[in-house]
Amino acid sequence: LIHQLKNQDHYLGAHSDQHLLYCDWTHRDSLLVDQATFTKDLWDNYQEMERFGIFPEDAPLFLPPYEWYNDSISQWTADQGLYLINITYGTLSHADYTSPDMPNYRSSQTIYESILEYEEKSAHGLNGFLLLIHIGVGSDREDKFYPYLEKLIPELRSRGYQFKRVDQLIDPLQVSAASS
């Protein structure tokens, strides 16, 4: 699947090797990892991706696990020559990992409707939006969301949207120049 996605020119990037939680859920300034652990986990992820021909220079955008981080993680990412990104909040697209036994479970239909509802109600719709959709959700979730892409993508295209790779929306060189 990774080879197929790469051959189809999808952006494949780092998200952590062991999917570590970097900082406390309630005290975000409290780190749960040190810099050495963070760095090892990050580069272990890149080492695994290199087996598939994906190199750091091809994938400099880094999405932290759980989409949860603080200023230390942002700085450590920059220290590694990478660029931290995050999803755009407002829809339930990221809830597609939940299973029925979880209190925060959302069905795929609910997730689908939340995306279209946000698009309709937001002044800017989904322009520039980064939706997170998990391809590798657990077996406890039988109601996978990714099949809904077959109707979501044409629906959004009919509303005038174009889909772009994340690195086409976020140019690391421009981000670097802006923060200098």
Side-chain angles (χ1 to χ4, degrees):
L1 179 61
I2 293 171
H3 288 295
Q4 179 183 353
L5 290 169
K6 186 174 183 250
N7 289 338
Q8 292 174 345
D9 201 34
H10 290 277
Y11 183 89
L12 302 172
H15 185 57
S16 167
D17 187 58
Q18 298 297 311
H19 210 267
L20 303 175
L21 182 61
Y22 295 146
C23 46
D24 188 274
W25 288 115
T26 55
H27 302 288
R28 198 171 192 161
D29 60 339
S30 299
L31 286 166
L32 301 176
V33 298
D34 60 20
Q35 188 171 3
T37 302
F38 166 82
T39 302
K40 180 182 181 333
D41 182 70
L42 178 65
W43 291 108
D44 284 352
N45 188 186
Y46 276 103
Q47 183 176 8
E48 183 64 22
M49 292 189 312
E50 284 181 18
R51 293 183 336 114
F52 298 93
I54 304 163
F55 300 95
E57 58 270 16
D58 304 321
L61 303 176
F62 171 64
L63 177 65
Y66 302 100
E67 300 72 60
W68 194 248
Y69 60 95
N70 62 21
D71 58 348
S72 295
I73 300 301
S74 296
Q75 184 60 56
W76 296 348
T77 302
D79 291 347
Q80 297 301 311
L82 303 170
Y83 306 91
L84 189 144
I85 63 169
N86 206 354
I87 65 172
T88 308
Y89 288 96
T91 75
L92 295 172
S93 74
H94 62 284
D96 67 335
Y97 74 92
T98 61
S99 58
D101 59 316
M102 297 175 154
N104 61 338
Y105 172 71
R106 299 295 188 275
S107 72
S108 289
Q109 184 64 36
T110 299
I111 293 168
Y112 177 82
E113 290 170 2
S114 81
I115 295 168
L116 296 181
E117 181 179 323
Y118 184 92
E119 189 279 330
E120 292 168 358
K121 291 184 177 180
S122 172
H124 301 288
L126 296 173
N127 288 322
F129 225 80
L130 300 179
L131 290 172
L132 174 62
I133 298 168
H134 298 87
I135 195 166
V137 298
S139 58
D140 291 346
R141 183 182 180 100
E142 293 180 12
D143 177 28
K144 312 280 192 214
F145 183 72
Y146 54 83
Y148 278 71
L149 293 175
E150 292 178 11
K151 64 180 184 176
L152 178 63
I153 290 171
E155 176 61 32
L156 293 176
R157 281 190 173 137
S158 76
R159 296 179 185 203
Y161 291 96
Q162 297 176 4
F163 291 84
K164 296 188 176 192
R165 285 173 36 143
V166 66
D167 60 333
Q168 294 171 338
L169 291 174
I170 302 170
D171 181 347
L173 297 176
Q174 290 181 355
V175 171
S176 179
S179 62
S180 297

